[in-house]
Amino acid sequence: MTRLFVGIPSAGRKGILSDTLVHLSRQVRRPDRVILCTPDDEDYQTPDFDRTLDLTHIRATKGSCSQRNAMLDLLKDQDGILLIIDDDFFVHRQYLDAIETIMQTRPDIALANGHIIQDGIIGPGIPVAEANRMLDETPADPTHPATVRDKIVGYGCNMAIRLEHARDVRFDENLPLYGWLEDVDFSHQLSKSGKIVDVSAISGVHLGIKMGRTPGKKFGYSQIVNPIYLIRKGSMKRRHALFLMARNMGMNLTRSVSPEPYLDRRGRLFGNLLGLRDILRGRINPRAVALLDQPRAG
């Protein structure tokens, strides 16, 4: 029987994390172990957590890459599957059962993404009650018949990783905080030993909760500097990186006139400009995003 672990990085969002754990406790195939990684103990300690799950709590520096790496390090000698989900990703009740079956029959798969019923990250976010309704109305395989489709890049909100393929692969901690495009770099590394795929038979809802996310200025800076860093590293094609940079900056510019109430477009645009300034000065360091609120010489 395949060992099946679930890892959840979180920071400052105890309420939604508790709701996410409720969905894990309802799985047809229950996880062998759930690993919660937070920067502080208070992000974990809540009476609402489901105590029927085998929970392990670890701490790591705040940031999607460092927290995910802490989970991989914890399981470095284990075989099986590590499903890493965002703390606001609700899994369908048959998710773990289906991913176990797929990974057992396809040993060539290194990373699998599930079908996202709806992604709140591209809008104002999805209320918990609405996400629950979507899951209740979704069949076991929402796309009948089930399909497994090769892709180039995995999506970070739900990644089922075969641990045997990830012995020497880690998320790049030079991409701090939100870790913009960290899934692109991780997929590039992992694709050398196995396939990256989408699987229709597994599904979930990404609520896209806005609370606790990287501030607009810092996120905008990463939108510009991170792609250039990944071009130089060799894990992102120049055309794709420049397209993303141009698209995001264009959207921030045009929508800053009348921004969405749930996004800091003007802050993102300002961060974009700071990123361009640093690139023109030869400063291509994604870690500099953590210093944006501090005075810098030059």
Side-chain angles (χ1 to χ4, degrees):
M1 183 177 178
T2 303
R3 293 273 288 166
L4 214 166
F5 308 94
V6 178
I8 310 176
S10 186
R13 307 205 300 184
K14 290 190 295 186
I16 195 63
L17 176 58
S18 181
D19 290 328
T20 299
L21 287 170
V22 168
H23 283 278
L24 285 176
S25 71
R26 295 172 179 168
Q27 289 292 295
V28 172
R29 197 291 196 197
R30 293 174 66 82
D32 294 298
R33 190 177 180 189
V34 177
I35 304 165
L36 304 179
C37 184
T38 69
D40 298 300
D41 288 341
E42 55 263 32
D43 294 324
Y44 162 72
Q45 293 172 347
T46 168
D48 296 327
F49 285 153
D50 189 303
R51 301 303 181 185
T52 66
L53 293 170
D54 182 1
L55 292 174
T56 298
H57 176 234
I58 59 176
R59 292 179 60 180
T61 302
K62 184 178 180 180
S64 63
C65 292
S66 58
Q67 289 175 249
R68 289 167 177 170
N69 282 344
M71 299 171 191
L72 289 169
D73 290 341
L74 182 68
L75 300 174
K76 62 182 179 181
D77 298 322
Q78 297 282 345
D79 292 334
I81 301 163
L82 170 61
L83 170 64
I84 300 180
I85 59 175
D86 284 359
D87 60 8
D88 60 348
F89 187 83
F90 288 3
V91 290
H92 189 279
R93 63 188 177 278
Q94 291 181 304
Y95 192 113
L96 296 185
D97 183 58
I99 195 60
E100 181 179 44
T101 300
I102 292 293
M103 297 291 256
Q104 285 177 338
T105 57
R106 289 284 305 273
D108 58 320
I109 295 175
L111 184 152
N113 279 147
H115 167 72
I116 299 178
I117 301 167
Q118 189 165 326
D119 193 350
I121 202 69
I122 57 178
I126 302 170
V128 169
E130 178 66 8
N132 289 335
R133 182 193 63 77
M134 292 178 189
L135 289 171
D136 289 341
E137 295 177 356
T138 300
D141 175 17
T143 62
H144 296 294
T147 58
V148 177
R149 180 175 61 86
D150 289 357
K151 61 191 301 189
I152 298 174
V153 175
Y155 185 22
C157 71
N158 76 117
M159 299 180 290
I161 302 164
R162 192 186 302 276
L163 290 169
E164 297 91 318
H165 286 263
R167 299 290 189 217
D168 301 313
V169 179
R170 292 296 183 269
F171 291 90
D172 189 340
E173 295 187 28
N174 285 319
L175 306 175
L177 304 179
Y178 185 76
W180 175 243
L181 299 178
E182 88 294 342
D183 45 10
V184 173
D185 179 67
F186 186 78
S187 297
H188 176 75
Q189 297 179 66
L190 207 57
S191 65
K192 297 174 184 178
S193 64
K195 290 184 176 294
I196 313 295
V197 301
D198 270 329
V199 181
S200 68
I202 53 178
S203 62
V205 177
H206 187 203
L207 278 69
I209 300 296
K210 302 301 182 275
M211 179 187 69
R213 295 195 178 273
T214 300
K217 181 172 69 172
K218 292 184 176 182
F219 186 66
Y221 186 87
S222 296
Q223 284 182 318
I224 299 299
V225 175
N226 288 16
I228 298 298
Y229 169 79
L230 293 179
I231 290 174
R232 299 183 74 180
K233 186 178 178 180
S235 57
M236 195 170 189
K237 294 187 180 299
R238 181 180 299 272
R239 179 181 297 180
H240 183 207
L242 295 179
F243 168 77
L244 282 180
M245 293 167 63
R247 185 191 67 180
N248 289 326
M249 190 167 182
M251 291 178 65
N252 293 335
L253 178 63
T254 56
R255 297 187 182 182
S256 64
V257 178
S258 180
E260 304 95 324
Y262 50 85
L263 287 181
D264 181 13
R265 287 290 182 186
R266 293 168 187 169
R268 289 186 179 189
L269 179 61
F270 184 46
N272 292 161
L273 296 174
L274 292 176
L276 286 175
R277 181 197 66 179
D278 278 3
I279 288 171
L280 292 174
R281 292 179 176 181
R283 300 171 176 171
I284 305 174
N285 177 17
R287 286 184 175 272
V289 68
L291 305 176
L292 285 187
D293 294 327
Q294 301 178 18
R296 290 190 293 173

